[in-house]
Amino acid sequence: MINLRKPLNIRSLSTSNQLLWQAFEYFSNHLEELQDVVQNGEMLTEFLTDTVAQRLLFIQINVEDELNAYTVFETLNARGIELSSTDLLKNYLFSLFQGPDDLQEAQRQWRRIISTVQMEKFPEFLRYYLSLKQTRVRRERLFKLVRESVKNAQQAFELLDQLENYSNLFIALSNSNDEFWRDTPENQPYIRELELFRVKQAYPSLFSAYARFSRENFTRLLKLVCVLSFRYTIVSSLNPNELETLYSKVAIAITNGEIINPRQVFDNLRSVYVSDEKFLQDFSLLSISTKGQKKKLVRYILFKLELDASHIEVNEDSFSIEHILPESPGSEWRQSFNDAQIEEMVYRIGNLTPLEPHLNRQVGNELYPIKRTVYQQSVYTLTKNVLAEEWHPNTLTTRQRYLAQRAVHIWRSDFFV
């Protein structure tokens, strides 16, 4: 519209821009009817000052400070696109720099941060950073919180320095293959678990601990977070909101020097450490679909159970997930399981076991006696231990109860006594 060319598709414009184009067309058409006025400078001046200017309506909005100015701009943005909290923060920080040199350095630093974190993840990153200093940081209050604590160029540079320092860690916490972990490969298994569990509530604590804990203690903290998350989130399916507040409090305590090791972290998180009794009960009933994204989680659980049974580490991607009671059982299977039991139990952990792909294809939907014979050809101890005479609901439940007892020991905090 700036170059006065007609848009190719009027309907593709936002409602506000459609109205602007309609107004432009209206006045363009009517000005063509005023040829005498347009071609005469004096008459055009009179027309603009005495006619147009007298009928134009201007709106003036007075605001008390920059915060309200940015808020108004976000609401009334003529593009029809809301100004993001990231845009607001950037514009505000840049407004604090007086000289061109400081501004250019701040712009370079900002570009480095965004290049690492990516624009769409920046609000999440900023929220975790601000949680190092206060709890219950809500996304919609990010700009206001920064505005209240950063009031001059020095404080703006300090904020940018801190954000740049944490940016690489933020990205690495969601990618076990990140170059960041090259010198600490012992952390990679735990980072993979954080990815798998989709755990981010602990990020503030991990931010703070990485800067203040020893290398060994940071690894121990990662392990603690993984164990706690598996018990609390994956198996017991408890509300994650409580975790976020507690992790933020831990982060603040680490920053202030009140917590100096992982054991003290555990002491502060003890209230959300699921007890052995509850964990045993919940794992005994755990059911996870082997379809879609959840399939990786099932592989992980079977991998850990097999490692416990055989004491040999296997490749998580090397085995197929065998459903002892098949996903699509034939009529003979239905003599042992009714429809409701099939639906309830087919994805129970007690019905699943690791199996070589070629053996998995061989057994297919066969009856249990045939499967049991083939299981003895497997290298996986967990599978060779499936020795029951029959496979029915009680057998499945008994096996899962045993696996739950082993799980209590596998996923236990080093600091629990």
Side-chain angles (χ1 to χ4, degrees):
M1 289 176 62
I2 296 299
N3 56 24
L4 306 183
R5 289 203 304 263
K6 183 176 181 179
L8 295 177
N9 184 0
I10 302 297
R11 292 186 178 183
S12 67
L13 299 176
S14 64
T15 302
S16 58
N17 281 345
Q18 287 185 38
L19 293 172
L20 286 172
W21 178 254
Q22 292 170 10
F24 171 78
E25 282 192 315
Y26 173 84
F27 286 109
S28 294
N29 294 335
H30 282 74
L31 282 174
E32 291 178 0
E33 300 172 3
L34 302 173
Q35 290 296 323
D36 294 340
V37 173
V38 173
Q39 295 175 5
N40 185 299
E42 183 178 349
M43 294 179 65
L44 179 59
T45 301
E46 291 180 0
F47 174 73
L48 292 174
T49 56
D50 297 341
T51 303
V52 176
Q54 294 298 321
R55 298 183 181 182
L56 282 177
L57 178 64
F58 292 91
I59 299 175
Q60 177 176 322
I61 301 176
N62 295 316
V63 295
E64 296 178 358
D65 53 35
E66 295 96 329
L67 174 60
N68 286 326
Y70 286 123
T71 303
V72 169
F73 182 73
E74 179 182 12
T75 305
L76 303 179
N77 189 356
R79 295 173 299 169
I81 303 173
E82 286 190 358
L83 198 65
S84 70
S85 58
T86 305
D87 292 325
L88 290 173
L89 175 65
K90 178 188 70 174
N91 293 340
Y92 171 69
L93 292 178
F94 288 174
S95 73
L96 297 176
F97 299 106
Q98 303 300 319
D101 292 341
D102 282 353
L103 179 58
Q104 289 176 7
E105 175 55 31
Q107 289 171 333
R108 285 192 292 268
Q109 196 166 11
W110 178 266
R111 285 194 294 269
R112 290 196 299 269
I113 295 169
I114 295 301
S115 175
T116 301
V117 173
Q118 301 303 312
M119 183 71 78
E120 65 274 12
K121 292 184 178 179
F122 183 83
E124 178 187 27
F125 169 51
L126 179 61
R127 190 167 75 86
Y128 293 136
Y129 169 74
L130 293 177
S131 295
L132 294 173
K133 300 181 179 180
Q134 56 185 295
T135 60
R136 302 184 185 279
V137 176
R138 299 196 304 273
R139 182 171 178 141
E140 60 269 21
R141 296 189 70 246
L142 295 178
F143 175 69
K144 184 176 182 180
L145 291 173
V146 172
R147 174 68 179 81
E148 291 172 349
S149 60
V150 179
K151 300 179 181 295
N152 56 51
Q154 180 180 346
Q155 292 173 334
F157 269 129
E158 290 173 355
L159 174 63
L160 290 173
D161 288 343
Q162 288 293 308
L163 292 176
E164 187 169 12
N165 286 339
Y166 286 115
S167 61
N168 288 312
L169 176 59
F170 170 72
I171 293 300
L173 285 173
S174 61
N175 181 9
S176 58
N177 296 318
D178 195 284
E179 186 71 10
F180 190 90
W181 307 114
R182 181 182 60 183
D183 297 329
T184 54
E186 65 273 16
N187 291 334
Q188 289 178 300
Y190 303 121
I191 299 301
R192 279 194 290 271
E193 292 183 20
L194 292 182
E195 291 179 76
L196 186 61
F197 303 161
R198 299 185 180 183
V199 171
K200 293 191 174 182
Q201 300 95 333
Y203 277 20
S205 292
L206 295 173
F207 280 9
S208 190
Y210 187 81
R212 294 166 179 83
F213 282 10
S214 68
R215 172 172 164 167
E216 180 184 2
N217 275 343
F218 182 75
T219 301
R220 296 174 75 199
L221 177 59
L222 281 174
K223 180 181 179 181
L224 171 62
V225 170
C226 290
V227 168
L228 192 149
S229 299
F230 185 78
R231 285 184 170 233
Y232 187 95
T233 305
I234 303 301
V235 175
S236 294
S237 300
L238 297 173
N239 187 350
N241 292 336
E242 185 179 357
L243 285 180
E244 187 161 305
T245 301
L246 283 175
Y247 276 126
S248 181
K249 290 180 179 179
V250 166
I252 294 169
I254 294 174
T255 301
N256 294 336
E258 298 164 6
I259 291 178
I260 60 174
N261 57 55
R263 178 174 291 279
Q264 291 177 323
V265 173
F266 177 75
D267 291 340
N268 281 267
L269 296 175
R270 190 178 289 271
S271 64
V272 291
Y273 181 77
V274 175
S275 69
D276 286 351
E277 292 76 17
K278 178 169 175 54
F279 181 68
L280 176 67
Q281 178 183 0
D282 292 341
F283 196 98
S284 296
L285 298 172
L286 184 62
S287 178
I288 303 176
S289 172
T290 55
K291 299 177 181 178
Q293 292 295 319
K294 293 294 184 68
K295 188 173 185 177
K296 291 183 179 180
L297 182 58
V298 174
R299 282 185 173 279
Y300 161 78
I301 294 172
L302 292 179
F303 160 76
K304 297 287 281 188
L305 289 169
E306 174 63 25
L307 178 60
D308 173 71
S310 66
H311 305 291
I312 299 174
E313 189 161 336
V314 299
N315 187 334
E316 279 184 51
D317 297 322
S318 67
F319 60 81
S320 294
I321 300 173
E322 159 69 1
H323 301 74
I324 303 173
L325 164 67
E327 291 181 282
S328 303
S331 58
E332 293 188 50
W333 272 102
R334 296 177 186 274
Q335 295 176 15
S336 300
F337 294 84
N338 61 40
D339 288 347
Q341 290 170 331
I342 291 172
E343 184 176 353
E344 177 193 351
M345 293 185 157
V346 71
Y347 296 122
R348 290 268 294 270
I349 295 299
N351 188 56
L352 307 175
T353 196
L355 190 62
E356 291 84 347
H358 74 280
L359 294 179
N360 183 252
R361 290 190 295 270
Q362 180 180 332
V363 297
N365 292 338
E366 294 286 359
L367 294 177
Y368 175 70
I370 297 174
K371 287 193 170 197
R372 184 183 60 187
T373 301
V374 174
Y375 291 165
Q376 298 312 303
Q377 302 173 31
S378 176
V379 300
Y380 300 110
T381 302
L382 204 64
T383 304
K384 288 193 289 189
N385 286 342
V386 178
L387 296 169
E389 290 296 322
E390 297 178 341
W391 196 254
H392 47 65
N394 288 341
T395 315
L396 189 158
T397 300
T398 299
R399 180 174 185 256
Q400 184 151 348
R401 178 77 178 182
Y402 169 75
L403 295 178
Q405 291 169 347
R406 298 310 310 155
V408 168
H409 298 279
I410 296 170
W411 288 279
R412 170 174 278 167
S413 167
D414 295 338
F415 309 108
F416 181 75
V417 291

